[in-house]
Amino acid sequence: MLAVMESPFRFPVHACRRLGDTAGRIGGTVHSDVHPVMIGTVDGSTTAASVVPCPAAGRQPVGDCADGGGLVSDPMLIWKGKNADQRLFWSRAHSDGSWRDQQQVRYFATNRGGIGAASDGRLTARAAWRGADDDSRIWTAGWYGDGWSDQQTPVDAPRTEDRPALAFHDDRTVMAWRGVGPDQTIWFSENLGPQRVAGGQASSTHGPALASYGGLLYMAWKGSGGDQGLYWTTYDGHTWAQPRPFPGGSTHGPALAASPQALFLVWKGSGNDAGIWHAEFQNGRWSAQRPAPGGTSTGPSAAYVGNTVITAWKGVGADARMWTCRNFREPQIAVANGAFGTSDTPAVVSTFVTEL
């Protein structure tokens, strides 16, 4: 088993998976002559049935699976180019905290809103975005450990003016988005199927956020029109609960991330407040809102990576650099020393790497 360097971005996952397990396969037994890569967010609602607990062992990869090795988790970023560059790019962190060279996500492109993304706790991640130029259709593609699938439009070819949200919940891919043009209704679909209204009482100028936590799907969003208030609701697989206000405000859509212990809401401030704020939901109630490092003019994204919450965002105003922070309290770090740039919100997801 290889040792993993202490780093600001690689985290041990205290579970291991046998590569032959059914829930870990893509069309059958896994064959590879390199270290396999597994994509996923580890939380109580999305962990694959074939994942079994292993004892913690400092910051080493852990586990005693005969043919699976230990898992460590790295963040992946997906973003639109800066200014007029509508291409999509991606990069994944090295074990020492540096970033691999940016790579283009095939021929995919978007002109606004940023990227939505989520991982399923197994081998798959999915991204979604609004089309390029005047194409308001939502496009989506899957990541399967070594590359991107071709893009596709979901059933009904839904349209939006902003970043769609994605989450994996109860073995289903759930997507939510605000409508196109003057339609600020929030719509949703399951497994990229027919679009439905998300409860009928949620509307926003921007895209919502989704996360699976404690057996429920949570959604958060900014209000419609001039309403900068934040709201949230839950979905039990059949019915959306009555929306509830959250005591915070934003000019842009918020982000959600879930750990096994808590749900985290992250957002840009309201009005001229470019600061990043966060709160956590635990035992049925939200904590007080607290400031986090950094500032943005487009809104943050967030993901639970290994054993920490990673927040990612574009800088304020003309600052096109992407920034990240761990657990809302460690110093912000410019991604790739500022070499990568975007004009909108990047997506952050967790990638699993198996060390054999």
Side-chain angles (χ1 to χ4, degrees):
M1 183 177 293
L2 299 178
V4 175
M5 297 174 64
E6 182 82 21
S7 99
F9 279 126
R10 175 163 283 189
F11 311 101
V13 178
H14 304 312
C16 50
R17 176 181 298 132
R18 292 177 173 86
L19 296 182
D21 285 349
T22 300
R25 296 175 185 167
I26 298 180
T29 304
V30 176
H31 298 280
S32 177
D33 57 359
V34 297
H35 296 324
V37 177
M38 290 185 273
I39 305 297
T41 297
V42 177
D43 62 56
S45 60
T46 60
T47 301
S50 61
V51 175
V52 295
C54 298
R59 298 189 63 84
Q60 296 286 108
V62 298
D64 190 26
C65 295
D67 48 13
L71 301 181
V72 289
S73 189
D74 294 334
M76 173 191 284
L77 288 176
I78 314 159
W79 68 94
K80 171 198 173 294
K82 56 186 176 183
N83 302 323
D85 185 355
Q86 299 188 46
R87 295 174 296 171
L88 302 189
F89 298 92
W90 70 276
S91 179
R92 190 161 57 86
H94 286 290
S95 60
D96 63 0
S98 63
W99 290 84
R100 291 163 173 80
D101 291 341
Q102 68 178 15
Q103 299 184 51
Q104 190 172 343
V105 185
R106 300 187 63 167
Y107 59 92
F108 310 158
T110 183
N111 78 336
R112 75 182 75 155
I115 318 297
S119 51
D120 73 345
R122 301 172 190 173
L123 289 169
T124 303
R126 182 159 292 276
W129 60 94
R130 182 195 184 278
D133 299 318
D134 60 356
D135 179 8
S136 59
R137 291 173 295 176
I138 294 174
W139 294 88
T140 181
W143 167 270
Y144 300 106
D146 59 357
W148 292 93
S149 71
D150 201 2
Q151 64 179 4
Q152 67 181 99
T153 56
V155 172
D156 295 339
R159 296 176 180 268
T160 188
E161 299 294 352
D162 201 57
R163 171 183 59 170
L166 285 168
F168 287 88
H169 177 70
D170 284 346
D171 291 324
R172 290 172 287 177
T173 304
V174 183
M175 184 171 70
W177 65 94
R178 66 87 87 196
V180 68
D183 178 14
Q184 298 187 14
T185 304
I186 294 180
W187 300 79
F188 83 108
S189 68
E190 297 178 73
N191 292 329
L192 307 181
Q195 58 184 346
R196 292 176 281 167
V197 175
Q201 301 183 58
S203 60
S204 180
T205 53
H206 289 71
L210 293 173
S212 181
Y213 172 69
L216 295 172
L217 181 70
Y218 285 75
M219 183 171 73
W221 66 96
K222 172 206 171 288
S224 59
D227 179 6
Q228 296 189 20
L230 294 175
Y231 302 87
W232 66 285
T233 187
T234 59
Y235 179 62
D236 62 6
H238 303 282
T239 305
W240 289 93
Q242 184 78 12
R244 285 169 274 187
F246 176 83
S250 182
T251 56
H252 288 69
L256 285 170
S259 77
Q261 293 78 32
L263 178 73
F264 301 89
L265 179 65
V266 194
W267 68 97
K268 173 200 173 292
S270 59
N272 295 324
D273 180 8
I276 296 173
W277 297 82
H278 71 98
E280 73 178 64
F281 183 81
Q282 196 172 21
N283 299 321
R285 63 180 62 187
W286 288 101
S287 70
Q289 55 184 320
R290 304 181 183 95
T296 181
S297 53
T298 64
S301 63
Y304 184 66
V305 182
N307 58 4
T308 193
V309 177
I310 297 274
T311 311
W313 65 92
K314 172 206 170 290
V316 178
D319 181 7
R321 292 173 295 177
M322 291 183 291
W323 300 82
T324 61
C325 175
R326 293 175 56 190
N327 286 331
F328 310 112
R329 60 179 179 268
E330 297 189 11
Q332 62 179 354
I333 299 173
V335 174
N337 294 318
F340 307 157
T342 185
S343 57
D344 227 310
T345 302
V348 57
V349 292
S350 178
T351 60
F352 287 172
V353 180
T354 299
E355 300 289 354
L356 300 178

